[in-house]
Amino acid sequence: MTEKEAEIRIGELRRELEENSYRYYVENAPTISDFNFDMMMHELEDLERQWPQFDSPDSPTHKVGSDLKSEARRREFAQYPHRYPMLSLGNTYSIEEVEAFAQRADKTIGSPFSYSCELKFDGTAICLEYRKGRLYRALTRGDGTVGDDVTANVRMISNIPHTLHGDYPEDFEIRGEILMPYTAFDRLNEEREENEEAPFANPRNAASGSLKLLDPKEVAHRGLWCTLYHIPSESLDSFDTHAHALDAAASWGLPVSDERCVCDSISQIEEYIRHWDVQRKFLPYPTDGIVIKINEMRFQRELGFTAKSPRWAVAYKFQAERALTPLLSIDYQVGRTGAVTPVANLAPVQLSGTVVKRATLNNADQMTQMDIRTGDWVYVEKGGEIIPKITGIELGRRPADAVLPQFPLVCPDCGTPLVRQEDEAKYFCPNSDGCPTQIQGRILHFLSRKAMNILAGEATVAQLYNLGLVRTAADLYDLKKSDLLRLDGWKERSAERFLLSLRSSRNVPFERVLFALGIRFVGETTAKAVARHFGDIDAVAAADREALLAVPDVGEVIAQSIADYFADSRHIEEVKRLRAHGLRFSVSGDAPVSDALKGLTIVVSGNFSISREALKEIIEKNGGRNSSSVSSKTSFLLAGIKPGPEKISKCESLGIKIMDEAAFAQMLPAGQREALTPESAEDDGELTLF
Ligand code: IVH
């Protein structure tokens, strides 16, 4: 490589890395795999070493990725400087480089030492500060020097203690990772897909996106989890080893991983790596490698830091599991909002224990960026995502007859020319009133479990559509038994069951009716927030952009979408018809279902088979009142697993009854009790994970 070529390549790599850093850290939507990112970074490091005349302090090789937003959006979180910089870790994919790290450390230290081997948790970094045993502040990594204050959100994470016990220091910092367990991730993405919101690429992006939500109550629903792995030695110097410091942190009640191991030799490190490369697949949360740290604090201090990372630690990263298989064809699927998504059909291939035949390609830009052709051998990765994705192409194996796919110009279903708005990644079929897939998709969404929960699936909706009986959700309520008897295989009983299910949908609370309307970007949680904020549909329909933006977590896009929906007279007409059929369009219409808890003030604490939020809803629906603190007015404390110790002792001192979930269930009428069994809770996607 000539000097000129090196200069050009360095420029290219810096641009690519900066662009991808932004997508990864700020937008939480990476478009290249971690492996490719790391490889580009290593290539740049090598080139800068070889050609030091082109090295520059601004290079991404000297910077820690930043999760801070641009100036305009900065007001969302207060920012504070880190007491000690929050650095990153040097990483490698090769055992030889781990050996080289050990040799370098050995040479500098020159006397016996040990290693602390730990899992490398794949989430987003967090720094917690405890003062006098109380959680004082939580900061994100930010740019390593300044972080976002996410304390209110972190307080919603169930395994982060608000107060410590035992012999904790007066004031200290502890760092770790906020993670999203796979089950919570799958649930969140399913919900997003149902709402045609872009799914998160992986649990790590979902974790960092969730940590930056503006409404802490929403964070509580995301099932985040925390593990802590580093106490900056400047923060406390009374421990001889890192392992002892973490043991002490665990004794104060902080969540520290049990999967740590102190190793004395490189062969023990290798054994630890081999073990976890397999066993990590059975962990409920994502990990992407192993971190090897020099265990003795005095040697850590001796080795010190480079500008970007400590010299006393290295990360060994696992290669994501991927498979190579031919791309057979591409389908273009139309969703209920008209969005067209390309889906790859693959030659079936084994990947992490399942056979993969289809993978998402997201949008036309991604296809162009990859320069993908049918016939290409493509890499598929699963890494925790529900839908596998294509992460690369093996260009060397491109067959001569590989075909450049043509993104359709017209809707594959109704033939209408597709359109793409400037700021949208997707193409849309604009024929929302005439495109059969969109019409049926909207009805299916309306009927779905989390919306109106009416007993009918795809086949029924297709028949109702094909017979010309149903075009909008309101048409469902005009159906007569004689109409239903025209459906294939339908008899008296099935028709009656369907009509009964339609009738009971009149009791569905307003927030779910609002969700059922299928307003773009208005998912279950947004619908709930909007319904509670405005109280009834007339207020929502009358709200202008400003008023909509006042709802927690409603941003520009959602506000515009709601305003657009109600600006359309066909939608107003549809709401009018649904209202005439008796559906609930106001919160006050959400009458209690029983008086079983009338007059009782209940404090809920701990973890239950369903989320606390869902439990509180049950209390209200049965006439009870929720209160957040124990007082003489409290009727009883409903205690789950790990209830707040302060609440328990206050109940004991005031002589207030403490009740468990099973006893509480007995107080409810039969129809309400089932909601509390873990099985049906899971059904509702509300299962509390930890
Ligand atoms: S120690 C001075 N230990 O991985 C840096 N980091 O890619 C101290 N990470 O920045 C970090 N698991 O966010 C450490 N067991 C572990 C870790 C870990 C995950 C994260 C952390 C770090 C990043 C580097």
Side-chain angles (χ1 to χ4, degrees):
M1 184 180 267
T2 65
E3 191 177 0
K4 192 75 210 154
E5 281 166 349
E7 190 181 2
I8 293 171
R9 182 68 186 143
I10 286 173
E12 270 170 16
L13 287 167
R14 283 184 187 157
R15 262 192 310 281
E16 280 276 319
L17 284 165
E18 261 153 26
E19 213 175 293
N20 281 295
S21 264
Y22 188 82
R23 287 199 194 121
Y24 178 110
Y25 288 108
V26 180
E27 294 182 336
N28 290 317
T31 53
I32 62 168
S33 71
D34 289 4
F35 181 72
N36 287 344
F37 184 88
D38 291 338
M39 289 302 114
M40 283 199 280
M41 188 67 92
H42 290 177
E43 187 185 344
L44 181 57
E45 279 163 359
D46 285 347
L47 286 173
E48 286 173 350
R49 220 172 289 130
Q50 262 178 333
W51 308 92
Q53 61 272 44
F54 301 130
D55 199 357
S56 134
D58 294 337
S59 170
T61 54
H62 304 303
K63 281 192 278 188
V64 173
S66 172
D67 64 35
L68 300 177
K69 294 231 158 144
S70 64
E71 197 66 50
R73 302 207 61 194
R74 211 165 271 175
R75 63 192 162 86
E76 290 169 357
F77 291 98
Q79 293 184 336
Y80 290 95
H82 287 296
R83 254 199 251 179
Y84 321 103
M86 243 177 127
L87 301 174
S88 132
L89 284 175
N91 69 44
T92 176
Y93 288 82
S94 101
I95 294 273
E96 290 73 38
E97 286 189 25
V98 175
E99 284 166 8
F101 159 80
Q103 276 156 13
R104 272 197 309 277
D106 197 18
K107 218 165 129 191
T108 317
I109 297 169
S111 45
F113 63 94
S114 58
Y115 304 92
S116 172
C117 291
E118 299 161 17
L119 295 174
K120 184 171 179 326
F121 301 96
D122 197 10
T124 183
I126 192 76
C127 176
L128 306 179
E129 185 181 345
Y130 282 87
R131 291 193 188 172
K132 294 194 168 62
R134 288 179 173 276
L135 177 61
Y136 176 74
R137 186 175 285 157
L139 295 180
T140 66
R141 182 205 306 273
D143 62 3
T145 311
V146 173
D148 277 339
D149 180 351
V150 288
T151 317
N153 287 350
V154 158
R155 285 187 203 281
M156 296 295 167
I157 299 174
S158 62
N159 74 333
I160 296 183
H162 295 190
T163 48
L164 302 180
H165 50 74
D167 189 18
Y168 50 78
E170 179 74 8
D171 181 1
F172 71 101
E173 276 193 18
I174 185 160
R175 293 172 177 183
E177 206 84 356
I178 303 293
L179 301 167
M180 185 170 284
Y182 291 122
T183 39
F185 173 71
D186 288 349
R187 188 182 67 194
L188 175 63
N189 260 1
E190 262 172 46
E191 216 173 278
R192 291 177 74 90
E193 302 228 337
E194 262 176 38
N195 300 333
E196 299 218 1
E197 291 164 329
F200 283 108
N202 51 47
R204 176 190 52 219
N205 298 120
S208 53
S210 301
L211 196 61
K212 294 287 186 83
L213 285 170
L214 296 181
D215 180 2
K217 286 200 288 307
E218 278 308 308
V219 182
H221 285 298
R222 294 274 172 110
L224 293 174
W225 191 71
C226 174
T227 184
L228 301 167
Y229 47 62
H230 177 56
I231 304 181
S233 68
E234 302 86 338
S235 193
L236 27 140
D237 49 15
S238 50
F239 294 99
D240 55 344
T241 65
H242 166 75
H244 287 152
L246 290 189
D247 291 343
S251 79
W252 306 328
L254 289 162
V256 172
S257 159
D258 288 332
E259 285 84 19
R260 294 174 288 134
C261 178
V262 173
C263 296
D264 293 317
S265 64
I266 186 79
S267 62
Q268 282 178 7
I269 297 177
E270 285 175 12
E271 197 180 314
Y272 184 86
I273 292 179
R274 269 196 304 278
H275 174 81
W276 282 109
D277 199 3
V278 177
Q279 293 305 317
R280 73 189 183 107
K281 290 167 195 147
F282 304 104
L283 292 169
Y285 46 76
T287 55
D288 61 343
I290 297 298
V291 181
I292 302 126
K293 301 173 182 169
I294 305 295
N295 193 26
E296 289 73 17
M297 301 306 275
R298 65 179 199 283
F299 296 145
Q300 284 195 5
R301 281 191 282 272
E302 193 178 327
L303 288 160
F305 297 85
T306 68
K308 205 176 156 185
S309 52
R311 287 199 193 86
W312 43 261
V314 71
Y316 170 83
K317 289 179 85 173
F318 299 125
Q319 280 262 11
E321 263 196 281
R322 56 180 194 168
L324 189 61
T325 187
L327 169 65
L328 303 177
S329 62
I330 298 174
D331 286 342
Y332 297 90
Q333 286 182 349
V334 187
R336 73 178 157 88
T337 59
V340 179
T341 307
V343 178
N345 293 309
L346 307 167
V349 63
Q350 274 282 345
L351 183 63
S352 315
T354 54
V355 177
V356 172
K357 292 186 208 143
R358 282 160 78 77
T360 176
L361 275 162
N362 286 330
N363 53 46
D365 286 349
Q366 199 193 345
M367 289 168 58
T368 318
Q369 227 168 46
M370 282 192 171
D371 184 29
I372 202 164
R373 318 270 163 105
T374 41
D376 267 339
W377 283 77
V378 294
Y379 287 104
V380 214
E381 276 181 31
K382 231 161 60 170
E385 293 87 281
I386 12 175
I387 313 164
K389 60 177 184 203
I390 293 185
T391 53
I393 298 169
E394 187 60 55
L395 279 178
R397 290 180 78 167
R398 173 166 282 172
D401 58 354
V403 182
L404 189 69
Q406 278 301 313
F407 203 93
L409 297 172
V410 298
C411 173
D413 193 32
C414 69
T416 307
L418 298 182
V419 293
R420 182 180 180 176
Q421 247 113 46
E422 224 174 86
D423 49 352
E424 298 261 15
K426 295 205 167 200
Y427 280 93
F428 281 84
C429 164
N431 182 20
S432 55
D433 279 345
C435 179
T437 316
Q438 288 185 57
I439 297 172
Q440 290 175 49
R442 283 197 295 270
I443 296 168
L444 274 167
H445 168 77
F446 182 86
L447 298 169
S448 65
R449 197 164 36 83
K450 288 180 181 170
M452 304 305 283
N453 195 19
I454 296 168
L455 295 168
E458 249 174 74
T460 305
V461 170
Q463 285 200 67
L464 289 170
Y465 175 83
N466 292 334
L467 289 169
L469 292 169
V470 171
R471 287 288 176 272
T472 74
D475 295 341
L476 290 165
Y477 293 88
D478 290 334
L479 288 171
K480 288 183 270 311
K481 204 199 264 180
S482 55
D483 296 323
L484 295 167
L485 291 174
R486 290 171 62 198
L487 304 184
D488 269 354
W490 280 55
K491 306 241 159 50
E492 287 279 326
R493 252 177 75 84
S494 35
E496 268 161 19
R497 263 185 42 207
F498 181 75
L499 291 172
L500 179 67
S501 170
L502 272 174
R503 271 198 300 280
S504 23
S505 75
R506 294 189 184 125
N507 294 324
V508 167
F510 171 43
E511 58 195 42
R512 275 172 52 195
V513 179
L514 187 61
F515 169 61
L517 293 180
I519 305 171
R520 256 194 106 193
F521 308 121
V522 178
E524 232 186 321
T525 22
T526 308
K528 198 183 273 183
V530 172
R532 289 181 184 179
H533 184 90
F534 290 104
D536 66 41
I537 195 84
D538 299 319
V540 182
D544 59 12
R545 203 181 128 273
E546 286 302 311
L548 288 162
L549 283 171
V551 183
D553 272 335
V554 168
E556 295 286 347
V557 176
I558 301 178
Q560 193 58 54
S561 170
I562 298 176
D564 288 350
Y565 182 90
F566 289 105
D568 188 329
S569 59
R570 289 166 305 181
H571 294 148
I572 301 288
E573 184 55 30
E574 172 80 355
V575 168
K576 215 161 121 192
R577 283 180 65 205
L578 290 171
R579 193 180 235 171
H581 280 292
L583 271 61
R584 290 201 175 149
F585 278 102
S586 74
V587 172
S588 59
D590 298 345
V593 289
S594 90
D595 281 343
L597 305 174
K598 197 168 174 184
L600 298 179
T601 301
I602 302 165
V603 176
V604 174
S605 178
N607 291 331
F608 299 85
S609 63
I610 57 173
S611 72
R612 269 198 295 274
E613 186 70 15
L615 197 57
K616 287 180 180 169
E617 219 169 273
I618 292 180
I619 291 175
E620 275 167 25
K621 275 190 165 168
N622 287 280
R625 207 177 75 82
N626 285 294
S627 164
S628 56
S629 56
V630 176
S631 73
S632 56
K633 294 197 183 93
T634 307
S635 310
F636 62 86
L637 175 80
L638 176 50
I641 301 164
K642 285 205 198 150
E646 281 171 12
K647 287 200 170 82
I648 296 280
S649 59
K650 190 136 186 219
C651 280
E652 282 165 357
S653 68
L654 292 171
I656 287 166
K657 199 167 148 189
I658 301 172
M659 202 180 281
D660 67 10
E661 187 175 338
F664 173 71
Q666 291 311 313
M667 295 181 74
L668 302 174
Q672 292 290 299
R673 218 171 282 158
E674 287 70 37
L676 278 175
T677 62
E679 211 178 281
S680 66
E682 192 169 25
D683 235 38
D684 286 331
E686 290 277 29
L687 188 69
T688 307
L689 291 160
F690 295 97

